[in-house]
Amino acid sequence: MPRIALATAIAAHALDEDLAPLQRALHAAGLVADVRAWDDPTVAWSRYDLVLLRSTWDYTMRFAEFMAWCERVATATRLLNPLDVVRWNTDKRYLAQLEAIGVPIVPSDFALPGDDAGAIVADVLAAHPDAPEIV
């Protein structure tokens, strides 16, 4: 029976509303699906047939550590998404690349290191005054 690890962050576990239904659906399909924190050093990732990135949302604060973990997992088992896709996806400017080839995306602006993030946020809020939220 295939074993799947659903990778999360400890702080995000309760915030990922889709995690429990996904786990139940995988169990109903006859798969073993365990929720595991990506930065838990006690997890033996090689015992899983697949590690699915779910809610590893704190990676932005510990990017180098997260990417090193992804590399270790990718050598121990199958990581979804593949490592090159994870690298591409962690820089959110990939959305602009998708938009450039015709993929619809949410309205997006991007801040680079050294940019005035406060000014960018102010511009976004001014351009989208009715938006219920921004990310």
Side-chain angles (χ1 to χ4, degrees):
M1 178 179 311
R3 296 181 57 87
I4 300 172
L6 304 173
T8 189
I10 292 171
H13 185 273
L15 302 173
D16 186 348
E17 297 173 357
D18 298 327
L19 192 57
L22 173 60
Q23 187 178 29
R24 286 192 301 272
L26 292 169
H27 284 216
L31 302 169
V32 174
D34 300 327
V35 177
R36 297 287 182 251
W38 73 267
D39 58 348
D40 180 346
T42 67
V43 177
W45 298 101
S46 61
R47 58 185 277 236
Y48 293 99
D49 300 295
L50 173 71
V51 175
L52 176 62
L53 295 174
R54 284 292 312 157
S55 44
T56 55
W57 299 331
D58 62 350
Y59 78 88
T60 59
M61 307 302 267
R62 299 159 46 201
F63 183 72
E65 182 182 353
F66 176 73
M67 290 309 301
W69 172 82
C70 286
E71 290 171 10
R72 285 192 308 276
V73 169
T75 61
T77 189
R78 185 173 175 202
L79 178 66
L80 283 187
N81 283 325
L83 193 53
D84 58 335
V85 174
V86 174
R87 282 190 189 107
W88 177 66
N89 183 254
T90 56
D91 181 339
K92 298 310 176 198
R93 290 176 292 171
Y94 81 92
L95 293 167
Q97 294 173 339
L98 292 176
E99 184 177 41
I101 60 171
V103 176
I105 67 166
V106 299
S108 300
D109 287 295
F110 306 96
L112 299 174
D115 285 352
D116 183 348
I120 292 171
V121 169
D123 290 346
V124 169
L125 290 172
H128 306 283
D130 298 326
E133 65 181 345
I134 65 167
V135 178

